[in-house]
Amino acid sequence: MTWQQRLHNHGMINTAEAAWHKILTIAGEPRRQEESPLAAPFAELVLVAHAEPLLRQLYPWTGMWELHFSRCTEIRHTWDVTYIGTLGEGRYYVEGPSRNSPRIAETDSAQAAVAMVIDRLPPHCGPAFIGNAEALAAYERARDGR
């Protein structure tokens, strides 16, 4: 079982801090040779993203060697923050915020990819709302008087 499968099989994590802890723990585990060549660059990406306070307050989730950031902690997550994917040979791409959005850029640096995400954060982004996207939207409508 890969570390990503172990992460997804772990169960529900309901705070951004706990989710980051789990991702960091699993990303830092020793690698087997048969594991994907994307594992080490992805682990570097996780460390670089976690070092950024603006991203650390968001809820991280992973899939397909991508690191996503949600403004809420439960499924259905928000899709309004760009995300970073891992390419071969230590390269990364930045896309989003949705799957229908075009690729923003490719880079040789996890730091550059993280900076692109930070530059595109929605206004008033974070800390992550405890709940799902629908509950967050209802909270924001009530807060904004709409």
Side-chain angles (χ1 to χ4, degrees):
M1 182 179 299
T2 70
W3 69 272
Q4 283 188 315
Q5 289 167 325
R6 288 192 303 279
L7 178 64
H8 290 292
N9 290 340
H10 181 270
M12 188 152 160
I13 303 170
N14 63 5
T15 68
E17 182 179 358
W20 276 110
H21 176 75
K22 188 65 179 171
I23 290 172
L24 286 163
T25 299
I26 293 172
E29 290 179 351
R31 306 281 176 253
R32 294 185 316 269
Q33 284 189 337
E34 68 272 10
E35 203 160 352
S36 173
L38 300 179
F42 186 78
E44 178 185 356
L45 171 62
V46 169
L47 290 171
V48 170
H50 181 260
E52 290 294 336
L54 291 172
L55 295 182
R56 195 169 49 245
Q57 68 181 344
L58 299 176
Y59 185 90
W61 58 279
T62 64
M64 302 186 312
W65 300 107
E66 295 173 345
L67 180 58
H68 294 258
F69 309 95
S70 177
R71 295 187 310 117
C72 65
T73 62
E74 297 175 8
I75 296 173
R76 182 178 79 83
H77 297 297
T78 59
W79 278 87
D80 56 355
V81 178
T82 53
Y83 58 92
I84 305 167
T86 309
L87 297 167
E89 300 178 10
R91 293 186 48 78
Y92 303 91
Y93 61 88
V94 178
E95 288 183 352
S98 74
R99 289 269 184 223
N100 298 329
S101 302
R103 182 161 291 179
I104 295 167
E106 292 184 9
T107 180
D108 293 331
S109 159
Q111 292 83 359
V114 165
M116 287 181 225
V117 170
I118 291 170
D119 287 346
R120 290 167 175 78
L121 286 174
H124 312 293
C125 190
F129 178 84
I130 304 295
N132 62 26
E134 291 79 14
L136 173 59
Y139 168 78
E140 289 176 336
R141 280 192 302 275
R143 180 196 65 200
D144 298 341
R146 292 189 252 153

